[in-house]
Amino acid sequence: MQKEVIAVLDYGSQYTQLIARRVRELNVYAEILPWNAPVARFAALSPQGVILSGGPNSVYEAGAPDLPEYILNSGVPILGICYGMQVLARALGGAVSPGARREYGPMQIELLDTTAQLLAGLPSPQPVWMSHGDHVTLVPEGFEVLARSQGGLVAAMGNANAHRYGLQFHPEVVHTPQGGEMLQRFLFDICGLSGTWTPEAFISSAVGRVRAQVGASGVVCGLSGGVDSAVTAALVHRAVGEQLTCIFVDTGLLRKDEAAQVVATFREALGMRLISVDASQRFLDALSGVSDPEQKRRIIGEQFIRVFEEEARRLPRVGFLAQGTIYPDVIESAGSAHARRIKSHHNVGGLPEEMDLALVEPLRELFKDEVRRAGLALGLPEALIWRHPFPGPGLAVRILGEITAARVATLQEADAIFLEELHAADLYAETAQAFAVLLPVRSVGVMGDGRTYANVIALRAVTTSDFMTADWARLPPALLARVSNRIVNEVAGVNRVVYDISSKPPATIEWE
């Protein structure tokens, strides 16, 4: 069976990845291409439909991104969103003009043709999310105006015979309640797809690709305890079994008992070949006296690579390194000439050049939510799959100031109490990320009949859907009081607990 594929042409919208995610949530594989991707790349993908994303440009500006001729000549259905609708209209002989008034945020649209395939049976009027200044003033020949905004502007257009449609609003965002149904209509009714992109289908395909790539060679994988590396290891292990050796480096900067949990999960429960290296003293020695966060990151990265190299070189016949690279890493590393970056750059790589190993990256196609679904389908424990994100440098970025064994132990204990209470209150899953931070200050307190001068712990918990923005979690005061009371009473050297109520932006989620 031919793989069902939708190509999403990226014109620089901050929502481009969201379009692809929404399509994949409907069990159809979507891949993002730059709007000016070579025709050979488009042909190799062989998509059954194309979605044109929004973007920050005006189609009539000099040098503005346009619609490649090969997209129109492909004959596949096309859905243009926002700028994508405007570039489609202009390419087919329609007209786009700057608006006398802009439309941003929630708007009402009225459907003019409720029989059109894309909109059939949907309510009218209905709320949508607009974000545009220009608008289509003349639809191309063969197109009909399917909907207008409350301001009378063209909100949707379509040519049923050519299977080409345009939406001036954003169906991919939650603020367009019927948007998901519109995407379903495009994928299944207009493109004729059936929805075969499932975790099981991905695993079956990925296992075959890994086996073909690796052959009889050995594979090494660095386990961090995080979701991406865990799913990578489980997938490669299913593909090549004993040819895989996982290396887990205990930096001494992990959460409480995390090293033991990783060993128990992968060596004992899943039966993988695992080398566990306790390098905690090595990392602590290298970090001695260092307070600058960037210097901490550099030292930890260098030490990790050195330890990993030393262990990997002892293994016979290793030709491949398995990495947990995921799709957002690939997109953000490739970049886009017209993108307005919201999120900082992610480097794809980390392979020590002198090791001369080929990369195995079985998760390169997946978004984080898809990685989790694949992990569950592979039989990984739910507690591991739904674990909150943890920074690569570990607790080093949650200990402000110098790193010492005593300060690490203090933070581990405080952090464990916070997470334990969140689980007990059934609120862990309600937060996207929660952790404790050890501050580089001491405060005066009173314990018993004496004054104390001890450490301050800050608690951080946020809610977010994409980690690009985040809001502080409104945890119950009774829970915070219980956590504070336990930390002060159970963690030696702490006499004050504070709660971070900063959003992102202006703050970041992590403190360093």
Side-chain angles (χ1 to χ4, degrees):
M1 185 195 330
Q2 182 185 9
K3 183 178 181 181
E4 295 183 341
V5 180
I6 291 292
V8 179
L9 258 61
D10 182 15
Y11 286 93
S13 171
Q14 61 178 302
Y15 298 135
T16 300
Q17 286 193 37
L18 186 56
I19 296 171
R21 286 179 59 193
R22 292 291 179 258
V23 171
R24 291 184 182 200
E25 286 168 2
L26 295 168
N27 294 334
V28 174
Y29 177 70
E31 187 163 320
I32 298 171
L33 303 178
W35 68 269
N36 56 354
V39 62
R41 185 174 173 188
F42 179 82
L45 192 61
S46 189
Q48 288 86 53
V50 175
I51 298 178
L52 314 176
S53 84
N57 298 92
S58 293
V59 294
Y60 46 77
E61 291 176 348
D66 57 18
L67 183 60
E69 190 69 25
Y70 67 76
I71 297 293
L72 295 174
N73 293 338
S74 69
V76 301
I78 299 173
L79 173 63
I81 296 174
C82 198
Y83 181 90
M85 168 169 148
Q86 296 167 12
V87 80
L88 177 64
R90 186 175 172 88
L92 294 173
V96 179
S97 304
R101 59 185 178 278
R102 298 168 179 263
E103 293 183 324
Y104 288 105
M107 294 274 172
Q108 292 284 325
I109 63 168
E110 181 184 356
L111 306 188
L112 305 182
D113 184 353
T114 55
T115 65
Q117 244 181 334
L118 192 67
L119 306 173
L122 298 183
S124 179
Q126 64 171 279
V128 299
W129 185 262
M130 293 282 193
S131 181
H132 68 102
D134 302 337
H135 65 278
V136 173
T137 51
L138 176 67
V139 299
E141 184 177 350
F143 279 73
E144 295 181 9
V145 177
L146 304 180
R148 289 193 181 275
S149 70
Q150 61 197 53
L153 304 182
V154 177
M157 66 178 194
N159 182 332
N161 293 328
H163 308 297
R164 292 170 176 172
Y165 294 86
L167 300 174
Q168 188 56 71
F169 52 90
H170 289 274
E172 70 274 21
V173 303
V174 295
H175 307 291
T176 302
Q178 303 296 324
E181 197 160 348
M182 295 175 197
L183 291 174
Q184 286 186 52
R185 305 283 179 83
F186 179 70
L187 298 176
F188 304 128
D189 298 341
I190 296 169
C191 296
L193 304 180
S194 55
T196 58
W197 176 252
T198 64
E200 292 75 17
F202 164 77
I203 291 169
S204 176
S205 174
V207 163
R209 289 197 302 270
V210 170
R211 284 176 180 159
Q213 180 185 5
V214 169
S217 295
V219 186
V220 65
C221 176
L223 275 181
S224 67
V227 174
D228 299 338
S229 68
V231 177
T232 297
L235 188 54
V236 174
H237 184 255
R238 177 169 292 191
V240 299
E242 291 298 305
Q243 292 170 238
L244 171 68
T245 301
C246 295
I247 298 175
F248 172 64
V249 179
D250 181 0
T251 65
L253 301 167
L254 302 173
R255 286 169 284 209
K256 183 181 178 181
D257 299 330
E258 189 165 27
Q261 291 167 3
V262 169
V263 172
T265 298
F266 290 92
R267 182 185 289 165
E268 298 168 17
L270 300 177
M272 295 187 192
R273 180 178 294 169
L274 172 65
I275 297 171
S276 179
V277 185
D278 183 357
S280 52
Q281 193 59 51
R282 176 172 179 166
F283 280 83
L284 287 172
D285 290 344
L287 290 166
S288 179
V290 176
S291 295
D292 179 72
E294 288 306 314
Q295 194 176 355
K296 288 180 189 175
R297 288 186 174 90
R298 180 183 58 77
I299 290 170
I300 292 167
E302 288 177 354
Q303 290 298 321
F304 184 90
I305 288 174
R306 298 286 81 81
V307 175
F308 187 86
E309 276 184 308
E310 291 165 11
E311 296 300 325
R313 289 187 187 284
R314 297 190 178 103
L315 300 173
R317 297 175 49 250
V318 172
F320 293 87
L321 171 68
Q323 282 196 165
T325 305
I326 65 175
Y327 196 42
D329 300 332
V330 176
I331 298 167
E332 290 160 20
S333 294
S336 168
H338 293 270
R340 301 297 197 259
R341 286 276 175 92
I342 304 297
K343 194 173 180 181
S344 63
H345 180 75
H346 277 70
N347 288 317
V348 178
L351 172 67
E353 293 180 6
E354 58 270 31
M355 284 186 67
D356 193 29
L357 299 178
L359 286 178
V360 177
E361 299 174 305
L363 307 183
R364 282 178 67 91
E365 295 179 326
L366 302 189
F367 287 104
K368 177 71 80 173
D369 54 336
E370 294 172 315
V371 173
R372 288 194 169 101
R373 289 200 294 271
L376 292 173
L378 285 163
L380 290 174
E382 287 197 18
L384 187 154
I385 292 299
W386 296 109
R387 180 178 291 171
H388 287 178
F390 190 62
L395 296 181
V397 298
R398 295 176 180 173
I399 297 175
L400 278 60
E402 186 180 1
I403 309 294
T404 66
R407 299 193 81 209
V408 170
T410 296
L411 183 57
Q412 285 177 328
E413 293 297 329
D415 186 71
I417 289 171
F418 187 27
L419 298 183
E420 181 183 315
E421 290 293 342
L422 281 173
H423 280 292
D426 289 329
L427 290 173
Y428 183 82
E430 301 300 314
T431 58
Q433 200 164 349
F435 53 90
V437 179
L438 179 59
L439 303 187
V441 295
R442 296 192 174 210
S443 72
V444 174
V446 178
M447 289 187 177
D449 295 324
R451 289 166 65 83
T452 61
Y453 189 58
N455 292 301
V456 180
I457 289 287
L459 304 178
R460 178 75 158 145
V462 299
T463 58
T464 179
S465 60
D466 55 17
F467 290 90
M468 296 166 66
T469 61
D471 196 12
W472 62 278
R474 272 61 171 180
L475 298 180
L479 170 66
L480 293 173
R482 190 162 57 251
V483 172
S484 175
N485 184 62
R486 283 194 59 190
I487 290 175
V488 169
N489 282 281
E490 297 176 31
V491 182
V494 176
N495 68 355
R496 190 178 298 270
V497 176
V498 299
Y499 188 52
D500 182 350
I501 59 170
S502 308
S503 61
K504 175 191 178 183
T508 54
I509 295 176
E510 297 286 349
W511 276 50
E512 281 198 346

